[in-house]
Amino acid sequence: MATLLYRLGRFAFRRRHFTALFWVALLALAGVGAAGAPVAGNTSFSIPGTEAQKAFDVLEERFPGARADGATARVVFKAPAGEKMTDAGNKAIVQDTVEELSDGSEVARVTDPYQGGGVSRDGTVAYASVSYQVSGMELEESSRDSLEDAAEGARDAGLTVEIGGDALQAVPETGATEIIGIGVAAVVLVITFGSLVAAGLPLLTALIGVGIGVAGITALASTLELGSTTSILATMIGLAVGIDYALFIVSRYRAELAEGREREDAAGRAVGTAGSAVVFAGLTVVIALVGLSVVNIPMLTKMGIAAAVTVAIAVLIALTMVPALLGYAGRRVRAAGEKGKRRGREDEEKGNGTAKEKARRPNMGTRWARFVVRRPVAVLLLGVVGLGAAAIPASSLELGLPDDGSQPTSTTQRRAYDLLSEGFGPGFNGPLVVVVDAKNSDDPDAVFRQTGDDIKALDDVVSVSPAAPNKAGDTATITVVPDSKPSSVATEDLVHDIRDAGTGVKADTGADVLVTGATAMNIDVSQKLNDALVPYLTLVVGLAFLLLIVVFRSILVPLKAALGFLLSVMAALGAVVAVFQWGWLSGLMGVEETGPVMSMMPIFMVGVVFGLAMDYEVFLVTRMREAYVHGEKPDEAVVTGFRHGARVVSAAAVIMMAVFAGFIGSSESMVKMIGFGLAIAVFFDAFVVRMAIVPAVLALLGKKAWWLPKWLDRALPNVDVEGEGLRTEGDADAGEKGGSPDDRDLARV
C-alpha cells in the first residue's frame, strides 16, 4: 500500500493543476445541487419492529384521513391574574383565535377548548389543538406565520399565549461557537507548524471536503429524507478528521524535507507513510459509522452513512489535494526544525550555546515517553483509576428522547409545555395513544369498553378518554393521560402495564392492544438502542480489531487499543451524565434544563469515539512499529514514536476537541450533547489513554506487544504501513536519476 500511495502522492504533486481542478469542480457541482434543493427539515422517527411503530402503521391504515404523521400544534392560553378563561371576554378572544387558525390551507382540524374539554379545572389555562394535513418537514412557512400571527393577536388582546408541538420546530443553529472552534484549530496549526501557509493547508482542505460532503447531503436531503441534524453532524465529524488527516500528511512532509528529500519525493513519501495511517484510521471511522445501521433506526443509519461519506472524502482529499497544495506552496512550507536551526546558528554566533547542543535537547514528547517507560505501573494505575472515577456517573445513566420540556425556557414551546403542566398536570404533555385493533373480534364495542376499563384500573392514570372508533368500527383509539411527566420512570412503567393488560385482552377477545404516541415511541427507541448496543459493539470492535491486527501485525496491541477505548468512552458517558443529567457545570455549557440523556447518545458515541480513538492509536503506534521494525528495542521504539508523533497527535486532539466543542452552542439539544460528549471523549482518549496508558502498557509488555503467531503472520496480507516498500521505490527513482539513495536515509522511512 505504501508504494501505491507514494506514487499517488507524487502524481498529485506533479499534476497539481489537474488535482486541484478536480476537487474544486466537484465542490462547485455539489454546491449547484445544494442550491437548487429544498431545505432539509426535521425527520420523523420510524422505528421498525417496535410496538409503537406497529400501532402507528395501524393508524395509517385504518384512519386514512387522520394523517397520523401530520404536524401538530397546541396553542395554550392563560388568563390574566384574577381572571378565568371561562370569562366572556377571554372566551371570545379564544374563539376568534380558533376561527383564525381554521382558515389555514394546510390545517386539517382545530379543536375548540370549550367544546373539547380543553380548559383546566381551575379555569386559568386552556388550549386549542391544531392538526395539519402535512408533516412538520412539509409544512409551508406561511402556515407557521399564520399560527404565530393568530397567537400574537390573542396576546395583544391581553392573554398569555404560547405554542407547543412540532409545527414550529426550526432547523437547529450552531451559533458563533462553531466559528470559534475553527479559530482555535487555526491557532493550534500555526503554533504547530510555525507558518501561516503550512497551517492554512489543513484548514483549506478540510473545508473543501466538508463543503463537498455537506453540499451533497443538502442536495439529496429531500430525496433521501435526511434531517437537518444530519448535515450538522457530518460537518462536525468531517471537519475534525479532515483537519487531522491533512495535519499528519503535512507534518510528515516537513519531516521528509528535513531528511534532505526533494519536494516531490517528500510529498510521495509523506502520502506513502502517513497516508497509509490515514487510510486505516479513516477505515475504522467509516466502519464505526456505517455499523450504526445494525440498530435498524433509519434516522441513525442515515446520519452514520452521511458522516461516513464525509470522512471518506476527507481521506481522499488528504491523499491527493494536500500534496497538490504542497506543490503550489513550494518553499513557503519549510522543513521541520528549520526555524529552530536558524535560531541555533544565531545563538551560536552570539555565544549563547551551540546549535548542536540545542539539537541534542529532547523535545517534550521524548521526555514524557522516557518518564512513562521508567514508571509504567504508576502511570498505568493513575490513568485507569482516573478514568474509572470519571465513569462513575455513568452508572446512573437515564435514557430518553428530547421533547418540549428539554427546550430552553426562552422558547415558546417550553413555555407552552410548562403552562400545560401547570393547568392539567405533568402527564398531560405526554399522552399515550392506545390503539385497539378489534378486526378479528366478534364484538368490537365490547372490546373497546373492556380495554378502557382495564386501563382505568391501573396506577398512575389521570384520565382515559372514551374509545374513538374508525368508520368501519373495527379499530379505535383511546387517549390515556398519565399522572407523571413523559420522561419519568412511572410513565414508562405505565406503558408496560397497559401492554400487559392488552395481553389479557388479546387472550380473551383476540383483539390487539397497542400503545403508541411520542412518549411510548421514546420508550421503545431507548429499549431498541439498549438491545442493539452489545451486537453493535461486537461487530464494530471485532471488525476494527481484525483491521488493526493487519496494520500492526500484533494481537496484544489491537486488544490494548480496544480496552483503552472502552475506558475513554465510559469516562465520557460519565461526564455527559454529570453535566446533562445531574446539572454539573450546566450553566457553563448552556444547559438550561437537565433530564435524561438522549437515548441514541451511548451507541452514537460508541461508534464515533471508537473510530476517532483508533485514529490516534494508528498515528502514534505506527511510528513505534516503524522504529521497532527497523531494529530499535521496544522501549526505544516507544520513545521514538513519541519523539515524532506526540506533538502532532496532541495538536490533532486539541483541534478535534475545539471543533466538537464549537457545537456546544447549538440550539438543538441533541447536537449540543453530542458536541460535548465527543469533545470530552477525545480529551480522555488522546491525553489519558493514548498518551499515558498506551506507552505504559507497551513498556510493560516489551517484545510481547509485537508478538504474532507465525501461521497468522503468513496468512495476513502485507499492507506495509511502515513504508518498507519505499526502499525499492526509492532505489528505482534514484536509478532513473543516475544515482542511488543513501541507505541510511531510507532506513528512516
Side-chain angles (χ1 to χ4, degrees):
M1 175 177 284
T3 302
L4 176 64
L5 293 178
Y6 170 79
R7 293 172 179 171
L8 177 63
R10 293 192 63 179
F11 172 84
F13 188 95
R14 286 197 309 269
R15 302 289 187 267
R16 62 188 73 108
H17 301 316
F18 169 79
T19 304
L21 182 62
F22 171 80
W23 287 112
V24 171
L26 191 58
L27 176 62
L29 183 64
V32 170
V39 178
N42 292 279
T43 54
S44 57
F45 277 105
S46 174
I47 318 296
T50 63
E51 180 172 316
Q53 185 64 44
K54 183 180 178 182
F56 185 87
D57 295 339
V58 171
L59 288 175
E60 286 285 293
E61 177 188 346
R62 307 290 173 81
F63 296 83
R67 279 307 302 263
D69 63 341
T72 59
R74 275 179 171 175
V75 182
V76 187
F77 307 88
K78 184 177 181 180
E83 298 183 18
K84 302 284 188 181
M85 289 306 304
T86 51
D87 294 345
N90 294 334
K91 187 174 182 179
I93 295 171
V94 172
Q95 290 176 332
D96 289 343
T97 304
V98 169
E99 185 176 348
E100 185 177 350
L101 290 169
S102 303
D103 293 337
S105 59
E106 294 181 313
V107 174
R109 184 176 65 258
V110 180
T111 61
D112 188 322
Y114 303 101
Q115 297 178 4
V119 181
S120 62
R121 290 183 180 180
D122 62 5
T124 59
V125 179
Y127 73 93
S129 293
V130 186
S131 301
Y132 291 89
Q133 298 172 356
V134 296
S135 66
M137 292 176 60
E138 302 166 321
L139 198 63
E140 295 287 342
E141 196 62 36
S142 58
S143 295
R144 293 189 175 95
D145 293 339
S146 298
L147 179 61
E148 292 178 320
D149 290 343
E152 191 61 37
R155 289 192 192 103
D156 293 340
L159 298 179
T160 298
V161 185
E162 305 296 347
I163 306 172
D166 62 355
L168 288 185
Q169 284 184 352
V171 175
E173 300 175 354
T174 54
T177 52
E178 179 187 350
I179 306 301
I180 295 174
I182 297 176
V184 172
V187 171
V188 173
L189 287 170
V190 171
I191 294 173
T192 302
F193 292 135
S195 165
L196 289 175
V197 175
L201 290 181
L203 280 175
L204 178 60
T205 55
L207 290 173
I208 291 173
V210 168
I212 294 171
V214 172
I217 290 170
T218 304
L220 298 173
S222 178
T223 304
L224 301 180
E225 297 183 354
L226 302 177
S228 55
T229 54
T230 303
S231 59
I232 293 178
L233 295 173
T235 300
M236 183 191 302
I237 297 169
L239 193 60
V241 300
I243 294 175
D244 278 8
Y245 295 165
L247 168 64
F248 284 104
I249 299 288
V250 175
S251 298
R252 190 61 184 248
Y253 171 77
R254 296 175 72 237
E256 295 296 336
L257 289 179
E259 295 286 339
R261 314 286 183 200
E262 293 295 330
R263 293 188 177 274
E264 182 180 324
D265 187 43
R269 289 176 180 277
V271 175
T273 52
S276 297
V278 165
V279 169
F280 282 98
L283 275 175
T284 60
V285 180
V286 169
I287 287 172
L289 291 171
V290 173
L292 291 170
S293 59
V294 303
V295 184
N296 196 26
I297 295 180
M299 188 190 82
L300 194 60
T301 299
K302 292 172 185 177
M303 286 167 54
I305 293 175
V309 171
T310 307
V311 170
I313 292 172
V315 171
L316 293 174
I317 283 185
L319 299 178
T320 56
M321 187 71 166
V322 170
L325 293 182
L326 288 172
Y328 283 118
R331 296 185 179 278
R332 287 186 291 273
V333 177
R334 296 191 295 267
E338 184 177 312
K339 193 172 183 180
K341 291 176 183 177
R342 186 171 64 250
R343 288 179 179 174
R345 287 192 295 268
E346 292 173 356
D347 290 342
E348 186 176 358
E349 291 173 0
K350 296 176 182 179
N352 297 331
T354 67
K356 291 182 179 179
E357 288 175 350
K358 290 184 178 289
R360 283 196 296 266
R361 294 177 185 175
N363 60 20
M364 185 176 294
T366 302
R367 294 195 299 271
W368 170 251
R370 287 174 179 170
F371 172 81
V372 175
V373 167
R374 288 196 304 268
R375 299 173 177 82
V377 176
V379 172
L380 178 61
L381 289 176
L382 185 62
V384 171
V385 170
L387 291 179
I392 289 175
S395 61
S396 302
L397 178 67
E398 295 178 10
L399 299 177
L401 286 176
D403 57 14
D404 286 346
S406 62
Q407 296 273 0
T409 53
S410 58
T411 62
T412 185
Q413 292 96 329
R414 171 59 188 277
R415 291 195 292 263
Y417 182 97
D418 291 341
L419 284 177
L420 288 171
S421 296
E422 174 188 332
F424 298 91
F428 194 78
N429 282 295
L432 306 175
V433 179
V434 179
V435 180
V436 185
D437 180 4
K439 191 173 184 178
N440 298 324
S441 175
D442 296 332
D443 189 354
D445 290 336
V447 174
F448 301 154
R449 287 193 300 272
Q450 178 184 343
T451 304
D453 292 340
D454 289 348
I455 295 173
K456 288 177 183 177
L458 299 175
D459 295 332
D460 203 51
V461 173
V462 171
S463 64
V464 178
S465 70
N470 63 347
K471 290 183 179 180
D474 58 5
T475 306
T477 60
I478 300 173
T479 301
V480 180
V481 176
D483 190 37
S484 306
K485 64 180 183 178
S487 59
S488 67
V489 176
T491 300
E492 182 177 350
D493 291 340
L494 176 60
V495 170
H496 293 309
D497 290 344
I498 294 174
R499 287 171 174 170
D500 291 341
T503 302
V505 172
K506 183 176 178 63
D508 295 339
T509 66
D512 288 322
V513 178
L514 309 170
V515 185
T516 189
T519 301
M521 185 71 81
N522 290 354
I523 293 170
D524 287 352
V525 168
S526 298
Q527 186 61 50
K528 189 177 182 69
L529 288 166
N530 286 338
D531 294 343
L533 186 57
V534 172
Y536 174 71
L537 267 173
T538 303
L539 173 68
V540 172
V541 177
L543 287 176
F545 181 77
L546 295 176
L547 185 65
L548 292 178
I549 289 178
V550 173
V551 173
F552 295 128
R553 309 195 77 80
S554 163
I555 297 293
L556 296 180
V557 170
L559 180 61
K560 166 211 39 104
L563 294 177
F565 151 72
L566 291 176
L567 274 175
S568 58
V569 79
M570 289 304 298
L573 277 175
V576 169
V577 170
V579 173
F580 290 89
Q581 188 175 310
W582 292 359
W584 294 4
L585 301 177
S586 57
L588 181 64
M589 299 297 166
V591 180
E592 297 189 23
E593 182 69 22
T594 59
V597 172
M598 184 184 62
S599 56
M600 63 179 62
M601 184 69 186
I603 200 163
F604 187 84
M605 196 175 203
V606 164
V608 177
V609 174
F610 181 79
L612 300 180
M614 294 307 103
D615 277 5
Y616 300 119
E617 181 75 14
V618 170
F619 287 128
L620 194 59
V621 180
T622 47
R623 273 288 195 170
M624 301 177 190
R625 168 75 181 174
E626 187 176 334
Y628 180 76
V629 166
H630 290 151
E632 292 188 10
K633 295 180 180 179
D635 287 358
E636 294 173 349
V638 171
V639 175
T640 299
F642 269 77
R643 180 185 304 120
H644 293 293
R647 177 183 175 89
V648 180
V649 168
S650 297
V654 171
I655 288 169
M656 196 171 283
M657 288 166 56
V659 172
F660 288 147
F663 288 84
I664 295 175
S666 173
S667 61
E668 177 69 38
S669 59
M670 179 173 71
V671 176
K672 180 190 293 286
M673 189 179 295
I674 289 177
F676 171 80
L678 294 183
I680 197 69
V682 168
F683 171 77
F684 286 144
D685 196 85
F687 293 105
V688 180
V689 174
R690 309 304 154 189
M691 290 291 181
I693 294 178
V694 165
V697 172
L698 290 177
L700 289 172
L701 291 175
K703 290 184 179 181
K704 295 177 183 177
W706 307 108
W707 171 79
L708 186 70
K710 292 182 179 180
W711 64 268
L712 184 57
D713 188 33
R714 291 191 298 268
L716 292 177
N718 183 13
V719 295
D720 189 21
V721 175
E722 296 83 22
E724 285 292 315
L726 297 186
R727 293 173 179 267
T728 306
E729 194 70 29
D731 291 339
D733 292 339
E736 291 173 3
K737 298 176 183 178
S740 60
D742 190 328
D743 289 339
R744 288 172 299 177
D745 285 342
L746 288 174
R748 296 189 186 100
V749 179

